[in-house]
Structure formats: structure tokens, C-alpha cells
Amino acid sequence: MSQPASYNGIALVTPVSLGYSKVSEHSASWFIGSVLREMIDLAGIDKADIDGLAVSSFSLAPDSVSSLSQHYNMTLRWLEQLPFGGASGILAMRRAARAVQCGDADIVACIGGDTSQAGSHRDLVSDFSSFSNSASYPYGSGGPNAAFAMITQRYMDETGASREDFGRLAISQRYNAQHYAPALLGGKTLSMEEYLAAREIASPLHLFDCVMPCSGGEGFLLMSTQRAEALRLDYVSILAADERHNAFPNDPMQLRGGWPLFADQLYASAGLGPDDIDLLQTYDDYPVISMLQLEGLGFCKPGGAADFVRSNALTFDGGGLPHNTSGGQLSGGQAGAAAGYLGLVESIRQLTNGALKNQVVDAQHAMVSGYGMINYDRGLCSACTILKRGDS
Amino acid sequence: MSAKFKTMLASGNTLRLQRCDSCGQVNYPVRELCGGCLGDSLTWQSVDDRGTVQTLTALHYPLEKNFSSHLPWRIASVKLDAGPVAFAHLQLGIDCEARVRVSIVQDEIGNAVLVATGENESANQWLRSINFTEITA
């Protein structure tokens, strides 16, 4: 199998997260455009300098990225729409990087943004995919909670992971969120007692295993390192990135994502190993999925994530493996497809010293993982990238 | 307001799923092309209705009202001996790793849906308790 070419010469800059709230009267185009405006300000460029736009949103319809070029009065020569949920950010980054490397665009804005209103979560999950509509939603209409509850139950049965183990992830992320002002649940502490005593949602999932749907936007600009240096912008480089879709389709249950298919090559391309990763952002729609990422990305053996979270500090300042350093979705809220950009944007902040109270000291390398699209019984998209602090 | 589900199952008192006329693969969820060979000739046929409960959940917060009077609502992921994985409403008292039979019944709002019941037990009482009805051929 051929391997992805180098991402040499590509810079990720101007991380922006904004607008997090439980519900909003604004539309998706407000969130996406507001992120765009903030990034233009941070970069010190003109709107006309941006000639590529990649967006992800569950609530943008009937508009598309093409519509947005008129909303924002921009003439673009490259655009992309990535409806891939939790894998959207890394996929946008990979495609935008190739566009810039090949001369199809000079500066690409990569943005995830979604609005949330009463009932919009139900509207989304009750018509999510044809397989889900015919073979999942009619069975108790649990939405993603149902499928992930079943994955979690089987994972616990097979590995011996306990609720406390999932709680360790949720509690460490809450601690991180308490040091990241925009996190929606950052104002509330979470103890193991509270985690365990929470009401049951879909056995074995309880309240703090489930994300809170919300509105919000996340984005970054992607350009050449020369351009970033000319603009005197702190930047982050891509050492490696890859993705797989519908990996291991014959596994009767999803107890691994697509990461084992490319993790070794990812590390080889980066010239690094798991021990060199200074901070890790996993896609945490449910704690069990973060565990599958810890396993699939080589931090521990398959089935070994419970042991890993028992013996490694996961807080941003705990001296172990800083994980989901802004609180992730579990403590920050799941802003639709923006959640697929959250870990990437937070890593760009961290590697440009742009984080505030949750800054990981001396972080050089970050790993960001994405996972998305529960089409029926499993998430189909797996993606991952290794990032490095830029030289400027 | 009740949901308008689109389960698209063939109703009848035996489990019928789409078998590919070219390669023989049994397909589920319902689709237009065979997931194995992409052939477009799929025929609804009776298939082995036995399977194993590989995992289950009890839902406390269904998003549709028609489940909310019978909480928690139990569903299972069943690995069918015929090949596919199917979500099914799960009979009370049936647990993980149990051998089950999967059949098609009518739910409260008239949809043909899959239920997983004990291999050698009558499901009539349970079905009545949740307002599901057997489909008579």
C-alpha cells in the first residue's frame, strides 16, 4: 500500500473556539462566519486573502459551503464540505494541506460550526442515515446513546473495565475544563462519587458518560510555513496524518476503530513513538471510544485501556499523559460537527502557547484523533494526526 | 407525536431478509445492492432465525413517546447465525450471550420490527405487555 506523502511546508495557525452555549438563536452560518472573522483578525490578513474554505456542520442545510461564499462575500478557488462528524477536523486538515501543497489554494479556513435548539438533537438522530433510520432508531429511539451503550457493555464484559475506569476519564477531563473558561461544564466539579451516583441513561451509560449537545464553532487557518512566517504567526506543523473508514467490517461488534491499521506507519512517518507524545486529544463522544483510541494508537495493548487510565495521570498538569486538555466534549459540550475540530484546535493552541490556565508546559508534540459517523452499529470514520510545534 | 419509522422489513411470521441471488450473502440492514458483491438482485427469503445476544442495553430516555410507557426499554445486538448483526427489541429475562430466535412482529404504531425472544419460551405475554402483536401469515 502506498503511504501519504509528507505534509512538509504546511502551517496550522489561529486556533479559534467560540460561541459555546446550550442553545442558540443563531444559525450555523453565524457560528462558521464568526469563527472566520476571529481568525482573520488573529492572522492580520484581509478576508480576500482566504481562497479556500472547508466546513463541517450538521445544521447548515439547506445551505452548503458554496452558499457560504455568498453569505460572506468571498471569491474562493477551493472549497470542501466534510460531513464526517468527529473525524471532520482531521479530514479537513488533510485535504486542505494537499490543496495548499499543490497550489490549488493559498490560505484555507477550516471550520466546524453548529447551532443547537430545543429538539434539534432529536431531529438529527431520528434521520441520521438510512441504516439508522430503518434498523436502529425504531429500536427504542435511543439515538447514539443506544449503540454506544451496547459497545460499552460488550467492552466491559470483554476487558473487565469498570464504571470507575470510565469515570477516571470523565473526572480528569472535568478538571481540565475547570481551567478552560469556555467549557460549558467547567464551573462544576465532578467527583468519583458524583460520577457513580449519576442517573442511568442507557445501561451501562450514566449521565456523565454522555456529552451535552450544544452550539459552538471551532476553526483554524492552514497555509504555507513561509506565509505563516511572513505574517509572524506562531504555527504548528503536521508530522503525519491518516484515516480509515469502515475498518474491520466483519468484527461483529466494534471493539476497535480503524487506528490499528495505520498507527505504526503514523509513528514511523513522524519519527516518534507513543512516549514522545506530550498531549493527546481523543474523540470522546463516550469514554469507551477514548479507550479504543488509547489502545488503537499504541498507548496500551488492546483491552488494556482500563489499566492505563488507572496508572497514568490524564490531567493537563498531572505529569502523565495530558488528555483532552480543554475538557473535551464530555465537559465542554458537543457542538455538532465542531466537536470534530475541538481536539485539533485545542492542540494548535497548546503548541503555540495559546492556551491559558490549562497550558501544558513545554509541549512539543500532540496527537489528535478523530472518530465519527455512527451509521448503524459502529462509528465508521477513524483518523489521527501527529502535530509538532513550529519553528518560528 | 409518534415517529414514522421506516423499518422496511418484509412482514410475515418467519424471519425473511434479503439474500443475494448472485453470491448468497444475507444482507441487513435493508439495502438495494448486495453488500458483498454489489449485485442488484436481492430476494426476500426465509433465513435461519437463530442468533446470539452479543450485548444489550436498557434505555431510560427514548426520544419517541411510544417507548416511554414501558421503561426501561431493552434492546439487544444479535449476531444472527445467518450472518448479519441486527438490533432487536429484547424479551424480558433474556440476557447477554443467550441464544435467541429473531422474528418479525408489529410494534405499537404498526411497524414490522425485529424481536429477540428465548429459544424455547413463549413470547406472547411479553409482546402483549408492550402492545406488540404477532403477525399472522
Side-chain angles (χ1 to χ4, degrees):
Chain A
M1 192 188 299
S2 59
Q3 295 299 332
S6 166
Y7 291 91
N8 216 1
I10 295 299
L12 312 177
V13 301
T14 64
V16 167
S17 307
L18 62 72
Y20 275 74
S21 61
K22 195 167 178 184
V23 293
S24 172
E25 292 305 308
H26 293 299
S27 67
S29 68
W30 183 90
F31 286 93
I32 295 166
S34 298
V35 171
L36 181 66
R37 182 187 64 239
E38 296 294 314
M39 298 195 304
I40 289 168
D41 286 349
L42 285 172
I45 57 176
D46 291 329
K47 189 177 66 175
D49 293 327
I50 293 176
D51 55 359
L53 180 61
V55 303
S56 303
S57 177
F58 286 116
S59 54
L60 186 58
D63 293 329
S64 70
V65 63
S66 171
S67 322
L68 294 179
S69 68
Q70 191 169 37
H71 282 238
Y72 309 147
N73 197 27
M74 301 168 80
T75 299
L76 303 170
R77 60 184 183 124
W78 184 91
L79 47 75
E80 184 79 81
Q81 190 158 352
L82 304 104
F84 306 120
S88 298
I90 296 168
L91 270 51
M93 179 198 80
R94 296 190 76 213
R95 284 142 186 70
R98 296 318 188 196
V100 170
Q101 284 182 323
C102 294
D104 292 342
D106 286 315
I107 301 181
V108 179
C110 299
I111 306 172
D114 263 301
T115 189
S116 170
Q117 282 118 27
S120 57
H121 175 70
R122 175 179 174 274
D123 292 344
L124 176 66
V125 305
S126 66
D127 191 22
F128 191 74
S129 71
S130 57
F131 278 15
S132 172
N133 292 358
S134 70
S136 175
Y137 196 69
Y139 297 90
S141 66
N145 285 339
F148 286 104
M150 290 194 282
I151 289 173
T152 302
Q153 185 61 61
R154 180 60 183 254
Y155 181 87
M156 293 171 80
D157 293 345
E158 293 229 346
T159 67
S162 68
R163 285 196 60 215
E164 284 85 347
D165 297 321
F166 299 121
R168 287 181 175 90
L169 285 167
I171 290 164
S172 63
Q173 291 188 204
R174 182 60 61 87
Y175 175 86
N176 293 340
Q178 289 176 277
H179 298 79
Y180 176 69
L184 285 182
L185 298 172
K188 297 175 184 170
T189 59
L190 181 63
S191 68
M192 184 61 85
E193 291 70 28
E194 289 166 321
Y195 171 86
L196 293 172
R199 61 192 158 97
E200 191 169 66
I201 303 295
S203 65
L205 300 178
H206 292 64
L207 184 63
F208 298 115
D209 298 310
C210 304
V211 297
M212 182 173 82
C214 68
S215 54
E218 302 269 352
F220 57 92
L221 294 178
L222 187 148
M223 60 183 68
S224 68
T225 52
Q226 291 93 326
R227 189 73 177 262
E229 284 163 5
L231 291 166
R232 300 181 181 280
L233 294 171
D234 291 332
Y235 68 85
V236 169
S237 300
I238 306 167
L239 294 182
D242 212 339
E243 65 192 67
R244 291 292 185 281
H245 306 282
N246 196 30
F248 306 114
N250 297 321
D251 286 4
M253 292 264 336
Q254 183 169 50
L255 296 176
R256 53 183 172 173
W259 304 285
L261 289 175
F262 64 84
D264 287 349
Q265 183 60 43
L266 200 71
Y267 284 117
S269 298
L272 301 173
D275 289 345
D276 301 311
I277 302 300
D278 300 314
L279 57 99
L280 171 68
Q281 317 285 353
T282 64
Y283 190 78
D284 59 324
D285 51 354
Y286 296 85
V288 69
I289 300 304
S290 291
M291 290 206 173
L292 299 189
Q293 287 158 86
L294 287 168
E295 295 169 7
L297 292 166
F299 292 93
C300 54
K301 290 187 164 59
D307 273 340
F308 185 87
V309 302
R310 287 172 206 152
S311 51
N312 289 274
L314 300 168
T315 52
F316 77 93
D317 59 356
L321 178 64
H323 173 250
N324 290 356
T325 49
S326 62
Q329 302 170 67
L330 284 171
S331 279
Q334 180 181 59
Y341 290 66
L342 182 156
L344 195 46
V345 171
E346 167 65 5
S347 294
I348 300 169
R349 263 195 302 271
Q350 289 282 348
L351 295 180
T352 54
N353 293 333
L356 298 173
K357 286 194 281 184
N358 63 329
Q359 180 69 50
V360 176
V361 177
D362 292 334
Q364 296 298 315
H365 304 118
M367 176 177 270
V368 186
S369 176
Y371 169 89
M373 305 313 282
I374 183 96
N375 189 57
Y376 169 45
D377 62 336
R378 64 194 68 200
L380 296 184
C381 309
S382 305
C384 188
T385 184
I386 301 174
L387 306 175
K388 177 179 177 292
R389 181 184 288 270
D391 297 323
S392 75
Chain B
M1 186 178 69
S2 288
K4 297 270 189 292
F5 298 141
K6 297 159 280 187
T7 51
M8 299 192 289
L9 285 165
S11 55
N13 54 1
T14 61
L15 180 63
R16 289 195 295 154
L17 296 176
Q18 295 173 298
R19 187 188 294 277
C20 176
D21 294 338
S22 301
C23 74
Q25 177 167 312
V26 176
N27 288 278
Y28 186 80
V30 177
R31 64 197 76 188
E32 288 184 85
L33 298 178
C34 173
C37 70
L38 303 182
D40 75 345
S41 183
L42 301 175
T43 304
W44 291 94
Q45 288 183 11
S46 293
V47 300
D48 190 337
D49 65 354
R50 291 168 300 177
T52 305
V53 173
Q54 47 178 358
T55 183
L56 61 87
T57 183
L59 302 168
H60 295 269
Y61 296 92
L63 292 164
E64 304 296 340
K65 271 187 186 161
N66 44 306
F67 301 108
S68 55
S69 50
H70 313 286
L71 297 181
W73 191 273
R74 295 171 85 244
I75 60 170
S77 169
V78 178
K79 178 74 172 86
L80 290 167
D81 292 357
V85 169
F87 292 170
H89 302 291
L90 181 63
Q91 184 178 7
L92 270 180
I94 307 295
D95 285 317
C96 233
E97 297 184 15
R99 293 287 293 165
V100 290
R101 287 191 184 278
V102 173
S103 56
I104 299 174
V105 304
Q106 208 165 65
D107 71 10
E108 199 173 52
I109 58 173
N111 260 295
V113 293
L114 300 176
V115 292
T117 56
E119 264 198 317
N120 303 307
E121 299 167 50
S122 164
N124 292 338
Q125 193 181 350
W126 168 64
L127 289 172
R128 272 198 305 276
S129 75
I130 57 172
N131 299 327
F132 280 21
T133 46
E134 284 190 83
I135 296 166
T136 47

